[in-house]
Coordinates of all heavy atoms in Angstrom, one line a residue:
M3 N -46.1 -6.7 -54.9 CA -45.5 -6.0 -53.7 C -44.0 -5.9 -53.9 O -43.4 -6.8 -54.4 CB -45.8 -6.8 -52.4 CG -45.2 -6.2 -51.2 SD -45.4 -7.0 -49.7 CE -44.3 -8.4 -49.8
I4 N -43.5 -4.7 -53.6 CA -42.1 -4.4 -53.7 C -41.6 -4.3 -52.3 O -42.2 -3.7 -51.4 CB -41.9 -3.0 -54.5 CG1 -42.4 -3.1 -55.9 CG2 -40.4 -2.7 -54.4 CD1 -42.4 -1.8 -56.6
T5 N -40.4 -4.9 -52.1 CA -39.7 -4.8 -50.8 C -38.4 -4.0 -51.0 O -37.7 -4.3 -52.0 CB -39.4 -6.2 -50.2 OG1 -40.6 -6.9 -50.1 CG2 -38.8 -6.1 -48.9
A6 N -38.1 -3.1 -50.1 CA -36.9 -2.3 -50.2 C -36.3 -2.1 -48.8 O -37.1 -1.9 -47.9 CB -37.1 -1.0 -50.9
N7 N -35.0 -2.2 -48.7 CA -34.4 -1.9 -47.3 C -34.4 -0.4 -47.2 O -34.6 0.3 -48.1 CB -33.1 -2.6 -47.1 CG -32.0 -2.1 -48.1 OD1 -32.0 -0.9 -48.4 ND2 -31.2 -3.0 -48.6
V8 N -34.1 0.0 -46.0 CA -34.1 1.5 -45.7 C -33.1 2.2 -46.6 O -33.5 3.3 -47.1 CB -33.7 1.7 -44.2 CG1 -33.5 3.2 -43.9 CG2 -34.7 1.1 -43.2
H9 N -31.9 1.7 -46.8 CA -31.0 2.4 -47.7 C -31.5 2.6 -49.1 O -31.5 3.7 -49.7 CB -29.7 1.7 -47.7 CG -28.6 2.4 -48.6 ND1 -28.5 2.1 -49.9 CD2 -27.8 3.4 -48.3 CE1 -27.5 2.8 -50.4 NE2 -27.1 3.6 -49.5
D10 N -32.1 1.5 -49.7 CA -32.6 1.6 -51.0 C -33.8 2.5 -51.1 O -34.0 3.2 -52.1 CB -33.0 0.2 -51.5 CG -31.8 -0.7 -51.7 OD1 -30.7 -0.2 -51.9 OD2 -32.0 -2.0 -51.7
A11 N -34.6 2.5 -50.0 CA -35.8 3.3 -50.0 C -35.4 4.8 -50.0 O -36.0 5.6 -50.7 CB -36.7 3.0 -48.8
K12 N -34.4 5.1 -49.2 CA -33.9 6.5 -49.2 C -33.3 6.9 -50.6 O -33.6 8.0 -51.1 CB -32.8 6.7 -48.1 CG -33.4 6.7 -46.7 CD -32.4 6.7 -45.6 CE -31.2 7.4 -45.7 NZ -30.3 7.3 -44.5
T13 N -32.6 6.0 -51.2 CA -32.0 6.3 -52.4 C -33.0 6.4 -53.6 O -32.8 7.2 -54.5 CB -30.9 5.2 -52.8 OG1 -30.0 5.1 -51.7 CG2 -30.2 5.5 -54.0
N14 N -34.0 5.6 -53.5 CA -34.9 5.5 -54.7 C -36.4 5.9 -54.3 O -37.3 5.4 -54.9 CB -35.0 4.1 -55.2 CG -33.6 3.6 -55.7 OD1 -33.0 4.2 -56.5 ND2 -33.1 2.5 -55.1
L15 N -36.5 6.8 -53.4 CA -37.8 7.2 -52.9 C -38.7 7.7 -54.0 O -39.9 7.3 -54.1 CB -37.7 8.3 -51.8 CG -39.0 8.7 -51.1 CD1 -39.7 7.5 -50.5 CD2 -38.8 9.8 -50.1
S16 N -38.2 8.5 -54.9 CA -39.1 9.0 -56.0 C -39.6 7.9 -56.9 O -40.8 7.9 -57.2 CB -38.3 10.0 -56.9 OG -37.9 11.1 -56.1
K17 N -38.7 6.9 -57.2 CA -39.2 5.8 -58.0 C -40.2 4.9 -57.2 O -41.2 4.5 -57.8 CB -37.9 4.9 -58.3 CG -37.0 5.6 -59.3 CD -35.8 4.8 -59.5 CE -34.8 5.5 -60.4 NZ -33.5 4.8 -60.6
L18 N -40.0 4.7 -55.9 CA -40.9 3.9 -55.2 C -42.3 4.7 -55.1 O -43.3 4.0 -55.2 CB -40.3 3.7 -53.8 CG -39.1 2.8 -53.7 CD1 -38.6 2.7 -52.3 CD2 -39.5 1.4 -54.2
L19 N -42.2 6.0 -54.9 CA -43.5 6.7 -54.8 C -44.2 6.7 -56.2 O -45.5 6.6 -56.2 CB -43.2 8.2 -54.4 CG -42.8 8.4 -53.0 CD1 -42.5 9.8 -52.7 CD2 -43.9 7.8 -52.0
A20 N -43.5 6.6 -57.3 CA -44.1 6.5 -58.6 C -44.8 5.1 -58.7 O -45.9 5.0 -59.2 CB -43.1 6.7 -59.7
K21 N -44.2 4.1 -58.2 CA -44.8 2.8 -58.2 C -46.1 2.8 -57.3 O -47.1 2.2 -57.6 CB -43.8 1.7 -57.7 CG -42.7 1.4 -58.6 CD -43.2 0.8 -59.8 CE -42.1 0.3 -60.7 NZ -42.6 -0.3 -62.0
V22 N -46.0 3.4 -56.1 CA -47.2 3.5 -55.2 C -48.3 4.2 -56.0 O -49.5 3.8 -55.9 CB -46.8 4.2 -53.9 CG1 -48.0 4.5 -53.1 CG2 -45.8 3.3 -53.1
A23 N -48.0 5.3 -56.7 CA -49.0 6.0 -57.4 C -49.7 5.2 -58.5 O -50.8 5.4 -58.8 CB -48.4 7.3 -58.1
E24 N -49.0 4.2 -59.0 CA -49.5 3.2 -59.9 C -50.4 2.1 -59.3 O -50.9 1.3 -59.9 CB -48.4 2.6 -60.7 CG -47.6 3.6 -61.6 CD -46.4 2.9 -62.2 OE1 -46.2 1.7 -62.0 OE2 -45.7 3.7 -62.9
G25 N -50.4 2.1 -57.9 CA -51.2 1.2 -57.2 C -50.4 0.1 -56.6 O -50.9 -0.8 -55.9
E26 N -49.1 0.1 -56.7 CA -48.2 -0.9 -56.1 C -48.0 -0.7 -54.6 O -48.1 0.4 -54.2 CB -46.8 -0.9 -56.8 CG -45.9 -2.0 -56.5 CD -46.3 -3.3 -57.3 OE1 -46.6 -3.2 -58.5 OE2 -46.2 -4.3 -56.7
R27 N -47.8 -1.7 -53.9 CA -47.6 -1.7 -52.5 C -46.1 -1.8 -52.2 O -45.4 -2.7 -52.8 CB -48.3 -2.8 -51.7 CG -48.3 -2.6 -50.3 CD -49.2 -3.7 -49.6 NE -48.4 -4.4 -48.7 CZ -48.6 -5.7 -48.3 NH1 -49.6 -6.4 -48.8 NH2 -47.7 -6.2 -47.5
V28 N -45.5 -1.0 -51.4 CA -44.0 -1.0 -51.1 C -43.8 -1.2 -49.6 O -44.4 -0.5 -48.8 CB -43.3 0.3 -51.5 CG1 -41.9 0.3 -51.1 CG2 -43.5 0.6 -53.0
V29 N -43.1 -2.3 -49.3 CA -42.8 -2.6 -47.9 C -41.3 -2.2 -47.6 O -40.4 -2.7 -48.4 CB -43.0 -4.0 -47.5 CG1 -42.6 -4.4 -46.1 CG2 -44.5 -4.4 -47.7
I30 N -41.0 -1.4 -46.6 CA -39.7 -1.0 -46.3 C -39.2 -1.9 -45.1 O -39.9 -2.0 -44.1 CB -39.6 0.5 -46.0 CG1 -40.0 1.3 -47.2 CG2 -38.2 0.9 -45.5 CD1 -40.1 2.8 -46.9
T31 N -38.0 -2.4 -45.2 CA -37.5 -3.3 -44.2 C -36.3 -2.7 -43.6 O -35.5 -2.0 -44.2 CB -37.2 -4.7 -44.8 OG1 -36.2 -4.6 -45.7 CG2 -38.4 -5.4 -45.4
N32 N -36.0 -3.1 -42.3 CA -34.8 -2.8 -41.6 C -34.2 -4.1 -41.1 O -34.8 -4.7 -40.3 CB -35.1 -1.8 -40.5 CG -33.9 -1.3 -39.8 OD1 -32.8 -1.5 -40.3 ND2 -34.0 -0.6 -38.7
R33 N -33.1 -4.4 -41.7 CA -32.4 -5.7 -41.4 C -33.4 -6.9 -41.6 O -33.4 -7.8 -40.8 CB -31.9 -5.7 -40.0 CG -30.8 -4.6 -39.8 CD -30.2 -4.6 -38.5 NE -29.3 -3.5 -38.4 CZ -28.6 -3.2 -37.3 NH1 -28.6 -4.1 -36.3 NH2 -27.8 -2.2 -37.3
G34 N -34.1 -6.8 -42.7 CA -35.0 -7.9 -43.1 C -36.4 -7.9 -42.4 O -37.2 -8.7 -42.7
T35 N -36.6 -7.0 -41.4 CA -37.9 -6.9 -40.7 C -38.7 -5.8 -41.3 O -38.2 -4.7 -41.4 CB -37.6 -6.7 -39.2 OG1 -36.8 -7.7 -38.7 CG2 -38.9 -6.6 -38.5
P36 N -39.9 -6.1 -41.7 CA -40.8 -5.0 -42.2 C -41.0 -3.9 -41.1 O -41.4 -4.3 -40.0 CB -42.1 -5.7 -42.6 CG -41.7 -7.1 -42.7 CD -40.6 -7.4 -41.8
V37 N -40.8 -2.7 -41.5 CA -41.0 -1.6 -40.5 C -42.0 -0.5 -41.0 O -42.5 0.3 -40.2 CB -39.7 -0.9 -40.1 CG1 -38.8 -1.9 -39.3 CG2 -39.0 -0.4 -41.3
A38 N -42.3 -0.5 -42.3 CA -43.2 0.5 -42.9 C -43.8 0.0 -44.2 O -43.2 -0.9 -44.8 CB -42.4 1.8 -43.1
E39 N -44.9 0.6 -44.5 CA -45.6 0.2 -45.8 C -46.1 1.5 -46.5 O -46.7 2.3 -45.8 CB -46.8 -0.7 -45.4 CG -47.5 -1.2 -46.6 CD -48.6 -2.1 -46.3 OE1 -48.5 -2.8 -45.2 OE2 -49.6 -2.2 -47.0
L40 N -45.8 1.6 -47.7 CA -46.2 2.7 -48.5 C -47.4 2.2 -49.4 O -47.2 1.2 -50.2 CB -45.1 3.2 -49.4 CG -43.9 3.8 -48.7 CD1 -42.8 4.2 -49.8 CD2 -44.2 4.9 -47.8
T41 N -48.5 2.8 -49.3 CA -49.7 2.5 -50.1 C -50.4 3.7 -50.6 O -50.2 4.8 -49.9 CB -50.7 1.6 -49.4 OG1 -51.1 2.3 -48.2 CG2 -50.1 0.3 -49.0
K42 N -51.1 3.6 -51.7 CA -51.8 4.7 -52.2 C -53.0 5.0 -51.2 O -53.7 4.0 -50.8 CB -52.4 4.4 -53.6 CG -52.9 5.6 -54.3 CD -53.2 5.1 -55.8 CE -53.6 6.3 -56.6 NZ -53.8 6.0 -58.0
P43 N -53.3 6.2 -50.9 CA -54.4 6.5 -49.9 C -55.7 6.1 -50.6 O -55.9 6.3 -51.8 CB -54.3 8.0 -49.6 CG -53.4 8.6 -50.7 CD -52.6 7.5 -51.2
S44 N -56.7 5.6 -49.8 CA -58.0 5.3 -50.3 C -58.8 6.6 -50.5 O -58.5 7.6 -50.0 CB -58.7 4.4 -49.3 OG -58.9 5.0 -48.1
N45 N -59.8 6.5 -51.3 CA -60.6 7.7 -51.7 C -61.4 8.2 -50.5 O -61.8 9.3 -50.5 CB -61.5 7.4 -52.8 CG -60.8 7.2 -54.1 OD1 -59.7 7.7 -54.3 ND2 -61.4 6.5 -55.1
N46 N -61.6 7.3 -49.5 CA -62.5 7.7 -48.3 C -61.6 8.3 -47.2 O -62.1 8.5 -46.1 CB -63.4 6.6 -47.9 CG -62.5 5.4 -47.4 OD1 -61.3 5.4 -47.4 ND2 -63.2 4.4 -46.9
T47 N -60.3 8.6 -47.4 CA -59.5 9.1 -46.4 C -59.9 10.6 -46.2 O -59.8 11.4 -47.2 CB -58.0 9.0 -46.8 OG1 -57.7 7.7 -47.0 CG2 -57.1 9.6 -45.7
K48 N -60.2 11.0 -45.0 CA -60.6 12.3 -44.7 C -59.3 13.1 -44.3 O -58.5 12.6 -43.5 CB -61.6 12.4 -43.6 CG -62.9 11.7 -43.9 CD -63.9 11.8 -42.8 CE -65.2 11.2 -43.1 NZ -66.2 11.2 -42.0
P49 N -59.3 14.4 -44.7 CA -58.1 15.2 -44.2 C -58.3 15.5 -42.8 O -59.4 15.5 -42.2 CB -58.2 16.5 -45.1 CG -59.7 16.5 -45.5 CD -60.1 15.1 -45.6
L50 N -57.2 15.9 -42.1 CA -57.3 16.2 -40.7 C -58.3 17.3 -40.4 O -59.0 17.3 -39.4 CB -55.9 16.6 -40.2 CG -55.8 16.9 -38.7 CD1 -56.2 15.8 -37.8 CD2 -54.4 17.3 -38.4
S51 N -58.4 18.3 -41.3 CA -59.3 19.4 -41.1 C -60.7 18.9 -40.9 O -61.5 19.6 -40.3 CB -59.1 20.4 -42.2 OG -59.4 19.8 -43.4
A52 N -61.1 17.8 -41.6 CA -62.4 17.3 -41.5 C -62.7 16.7 -40.1 O -63.8 16.6 -39.6 CB -62.7 16.3 -42.5
L53 N -61.6 16.2 -39.4 CA -61.7 15.6 -38.1 C -61.8 16.7 -37.0 O -62.4 16.4 -36.0 CB -60.6 14.6 -37.9 CG -60.5 13.5 -38.8 CD1 -59.3 12.7 -38.5 CD2 -61.7 12.6 -38.8
L54 N -61.1 17.8 -37.2 CA -61.1 18.8 -36.2 C -62.5 19.4 -36.0 O -63.2 19.7 -37.0 CB -60.1 19.9 -36.6 CG -58.7 19.5 -36.7 CD1 -57.8 20.7 -37.2 CD2 -58.1 19.1 -35.3
G55 N -62.9 19.4 -34.8 CA -64.3 19.9 -34.5 C -65.4 18.9 -34.7 O -66.6 19.2 -34.7
A56 N -65.0 17.6 -34.9 CA -65.9 16.6 -35.2 C -66.9 16.4 -34.0 O -68.0 15.9 -34.2 CB -65.2 15.3 -35.5
L57 N -66.4 16.6 -32.8 CA -67.3 16.5 -31.6 C -67.9 17.8 -31.1 O -68.4 17.8 -30.0 CB -66.5 15.8 -30.5 CG -66.0 14.4 -30.8 CD1 -65.1 13.8 -29.7 CD2 -67.2 13.4 -31.0
K58 N -67.8 18.8 -31.9 CA -68.4 20.1 -31.5 C -69.9 19.8 -31.2 O -70.6 19.1 -31.9 CB -68.3 21.1 -32.7 CG -68.8 22.4 -32.3 CD -68.7 23.4 -33.5 CE -69.3 24.7 -33.0 NZ -69.3 25.7 -34.1
D59 N -70.3 20.4 -30.1 CA -71.7 20.3 -29.5 C -72.0 18.9 -29.0 O -73.1 18.6 -28.7 CB -72.7 20.7 -30.6 CG -72.5 22.2 -31.0 OD1 -72.1 23.0 -30.2 OD2 -72.8 22.5 -32.2
E60 N -71.0 18.0 -29.0 CA -71.2 16.7 -28.5 C -70.6 16.5 -27.1 O -71.0 15.6 -26.3 CB -70.6 15.6 -29.4 CG -71.1 15.6 -30.8 CD -72.5 15.1 -30.9 OE1 -72.9 14.2 -30.1 OE2 -73.3 15.6 -31.7
I61 N -69.7 17.3 -26.7 CA -69.0 17.3 -25.4 C -69.3 18.5 -24.6 O -69.2 19.6 -25.1 CB -67.5 17.1 -25.6 CG1 -67.2 15.8 -26.3 CG2 -66.8 17.1 -24.2 CD1 -65.7 15.6 -26.6
E62 N -69.7 18.3 -23.4 CA -70.0 19.5 -22.5 C -68.9 19.6 -21.4 O -68.6 18.6 -20.7 CB -71.3 19.3 -21.9 CG -71.8 20.5 -21.0 CD -73.2 20.3 -20.5 OE1 -74.0 19.8 -21.2 OE2 -73.3 20.7 -19.3
V63 N -68.3 20.7 -21.3 CA -67.2 20.9 -20.3 C -67.9 21.5 -19.0 O -68.6 22.5 -19.1 CB -66.2 21.9 -20.8 CG1 -65.1 22.2 -19.7 CG2 -65.5 21.4 -22.1
P64 N -67.8 20.7 -17.9 CA -68.5 21.2 -16.7 C -67.9 22.5 -16.2 O -66.8 22.8 -16.4 CB -68.3 20.1 -15.7 CG -67.1 19.3 -16.2 CD -67.1 19.5 -17.7
D65 N -68.7 23.2 -15.4 CA -68.3 24.5 -14.9 C -67.1 24.4 -13.9 O -66.3 25.3 -13.8 CB -69.5 25.2 -14.1 CG -70.6 25.6 -15.1 OD1 -70.3 25.8 -16.3 OD2 -71.7 25.8 -14.6
N66 N -67.0 23.2 -13.2 CA -65.9 23.0 -12.3 C -64.8 22.3 -12.9 O -64.0 21.6 -12.2 CB -66.4 22.3 -11.1 CG -66.9 20.9 -11.4 OD1 -67.0 20.5 -12.5 ND2 -67.1 20.1 -10.3
F67 N -64.6 22.4 -14.2 CA -63.5 21.7 -14.9 C -62.1 21.9 -14.3 O -61.3 21.0 -14.2 CB -63.5 22.2 -16.4 CG -62.4 21.6 -17.2 CD1 -62.4 20.3 -17.6 CD2 -61.3 22.4 -17.6 CE1 -61.4 19.7 -18.3 CE2 -60.2 21.8 -18.3 CZ -60.3 20.5 -18.7
E68 N -61.8 23.1 -13.8 CA -60.5 23.5 -13.3 C -60.5 23.3 -11.7 O -59.6 23.7 -11.1 CB -60.1 24.9 -13.7 CG -59.9 25.0 -15.2 CD -59.4 26.3 -15.6 OE1 -58.4 26.8 -15.0 OE2 -60.0 26.9 -16.5
W69 N -61.5 22.7 -11.2 CA -61.6 22.5 -9.7 C -60.5 21.6 -9.3 O -60.1 20.7 -9.9 CB -63.0 21.9 -9.4 CG -63.0 21.4 -7.9 CD1 -63.3 22.2 -6.9 CD2 -62.8 20.1 -7.5 NE1 -63.3 21.4 -5.7 CE2 -63.0 20.1 -6.1 CE3 -62.5 18.9 -8.1 CZ2 -62.9 19.0 -5.3 CZ3 -62.4 17.8 -7.3 CH2 -62.6 17.8 -5.9
T70 N -59.9 21.9 -8.1 CA -58.9 21.1 -7.5 C -59.2 20.8 -6.1 O -59.9 21.5 -5.4 CB -57.5 21.8 -7.5 OG1 -57.6 23.0 -6.8 CG2 -57.0 22.1 -8.9
D71 N -58.8 19.6 -5.7 CA -59.1 19.1 -4.3 C -57.9 19.6 -3.4 O -56.8 19.3 -3.7 CB -59.2 17.6 -4.3 CG -59.6 17.0 -3.0 OD1 -58.9 17.3 -2.0 OD2 -60.6 16.3 -3.0
E72 N -58.3 20.4 -2.4 CA -57.2 21.0 -1.5 C -56.4 19.9 -0.8 O -55.2 20.0 -0.7 CB -57.9 21.9 -0.5 CG -58.4 23.2 -1.1 CD -59.0 24.1 -0.1 OE1 -58.8 23.9 1.1 OE2 -59.7 25.0 -0.5
E73 N -57.1 18.8 -0.5 CA -56.3 17.7 0.2 C -55.3 17.1 -0.7 O -54.1 16.8 -0.3 CB -57.3 16.6 0.7 CG -56.7 15.5 1.5 CD -57.7 14.5 2.0 OE1 -58.9 14.8 2.0 OE2 -57.2 13.4 2.4
I74 N -55.6 16.9 -2.0 CA -54.7 16.3 -2.9 C -53.6 17.3 -3.2 O -52.4 17.0 -3.3 CB -55.4 15.9 -4.2 CG1 -56.3 14.8 -4.0 CG2 -54.4 15.6 -5.3 CD1 -57.2 14.3 -5.1
E75 N -53.9 18.6 -3.3 CA -52.9 19.6 -3.5 C -51.9 19.7 -2.4 O -50.7 19.8 -2.6 CB -53.5 21.0 -3.7 CG -54.0 21.2 -5.1 CD -54.3 22.7 -5.4 OE1 -53.9 23.6 -4.6 OE2 -54.9 23.0 -6.4
E76 N -52.4 19.5 -1.2 CA -51.5 19.5 0.0 C -50.5 18.3 0.0 O -49.4 18.4 0.4 CB -52.3 19.5 1.3 CG -52.9 20.9 1.6 CD -53.5 20.9 3.0 OE1 -53.2 20.1 3.9 OE2 -54.4 21.8 3.2
L77 N -51.0 17.2 -0.6 CA -50.1 16.0 -0.7 C -49.0 16.3 -1.6 O -47.9 15.8 -1.4 CB -51.0 14.8 -1.1 CG -52.0 14.2 -0.1 CD1 -52.8 13.2 -0.8 CD2 -51.3 13.6 1.0
F78 N -49.3 17.0 -2.7 CA -48.2 17.3 -3.7 C -47.4 18.5 -3.3 O -46.1 18.5 -3.5 CB -48.9 17.6 -5.1 CG -49.2 16.3 -5.8 CD1 -50.5 15.9 -5.8 CD2 -48.3 15.6 -6.5 CE1 -50.9 14.7 -6.4 CE2 -48.7 14.4 -7.1 CZ -50.0 14.0 -7.1
Y79 N -48.0 19.6 -2.8 CA -47.3 20.8 -2.6 C -47.1 21.3 -1.2 O -46.5 22.3 -0.9 CB -48.1 22.0 -3.4 CG -48.3 21.7 -4.8 CD1 -49.6 21.4 -5.3 CD2 -47.3 21.6 -5.7 CE1 -49.9 21.1 -6.6 CE2 -47.5 21.2 -7.0 CZ -48.8 21.0 -7.5 OH -49.0 20.7 -8.8
G80 N -47.6 20.5 -0.2 CA -47.5 20.9 1.2 C -48.7 21.8 1.6 O -49.6 22.0 0.8
P81 N -48.8 22.2 2.8 CA -49.9 23.0 3.3 C -50.1 24.3 2.5 O -49.1 24.9 2.0 CB -49.5 23.4 4.7 CG -48.4 22.4 5.1 CD -47.8 22.0 3.8
I82 N -51.3 24.6 2.2 CA -51.7 25.8 1.5 C -51.8 27.0 2.4 O -52.5 26.9 3.4 CB -53.0 25.6 0.7 CG1 -52.8 24.5 -0.3 CG2 -53.4 26.9 0.0 CD1 -54.1 24.0 -0.9
E83 N -51.0 28.0 2.1 CA -51.1 29.2 3.0 C -52.3 30.1 2.6 O -52.5 30.3 1.4 CB -49.8 30.1 2.8 CG -48.5 29.3 3.1 CD -48.4 29.0 4.6 OE1 -48.9 29.8 5.4 OE2 -47.8 27.9 4.9
P84 N -53.0 30.5 3.6 CA -54.2 31.3 3.3 C -53.8 32.7 2.7 O -52.8 33.2 3.1 CB -54.9 31.5 4.6 CG -53.9 31.2 5.7 CD -52.9 30.3 5.0
K85 N -54.6 33.2 1.7 CA -54.3 34.4 1.1 C -54.9 35.5 1.9 O -55.9 35.4 2.4 CB -54.8 34.5 -0.3 CG -54.1 33.5 -1.3 CD -54.7 33.6 -2.7 CE -54.0 32.6 -3.6 NZ -54.5 32.7 -4.9
E86 N -54.1 36.7 2.0 CA -54.7 37.8 2.8 C -55.4 38.8 1.9 O -55.2 39.0 0.8 CB -53.5 38.5 3.5 CG -52.9 37.6 4.6 CD -51.8 38.3 5.3 OE1 -51.7 39.5 5.3 OE2 -51.0 37.6 5.9

């Protein structure tokens, strides 16, 4: 494991990334406290595009999704004027 403070990490980012690519773990510290960790991604990491739409056909949006309670609206906005 390699430890680098924020300044060294900014200065030597390319070198640290090369070490990560070799399988090394890099911990970045701020005033001696670990704040971030650089590691090589695992092979089973899915891209975000694989997660989008993951619940398609699993969630049903009810017909009254945009329904509002008039009593609650009056508490927030005052009396509702009837539309002509």
Side-chain angles (χ1 to χ4, degrees):
M3 177 181 74
I4 298 171
T5 303
N7 64 38
V8 174
H9 180 268
D10 291 339
K12 286 171 35 177
T13 304
N14 300 303
L15 183 59
S16 296
K17 292 176 185 175
L18 293 175
L19 290 177
K21 290 292 187 182
V22 169
E24 295 171 2
E26 192 74 41
R27 190 175 121 204
V28 176
V29 175
I30 300 173
T31 62
N32 188 9
R33 298 180 184 187
T35 303
V37 293
E39 182 178 331
L40 301 175
T41 58
K42 193 172 183 177
S44 63
N45 290 338
N46 62 359
T47 303
K48 294 181 181 178
L50 180 60
S51 60
L53 299 175
L54 296 175
L57 295 176
K58 183 180 178 186
D59 301 326
E60 299 291 324
I61 298 175
E62 185 176 320
V63 179
D65 293 335
N66 67 347
F67 176 73
E68 295 185 51
W69 169 81
T70 57
D71 186 305
E72 289 182 14
E73 185 178 344
I74 293 174
E75 279 195 13
E76 284 187 24
L77 290 171
F78 282 99
Y79 306 112
I82 300 171
E83 300 294 327
K85 294 182 180 179
E86 294 181 19

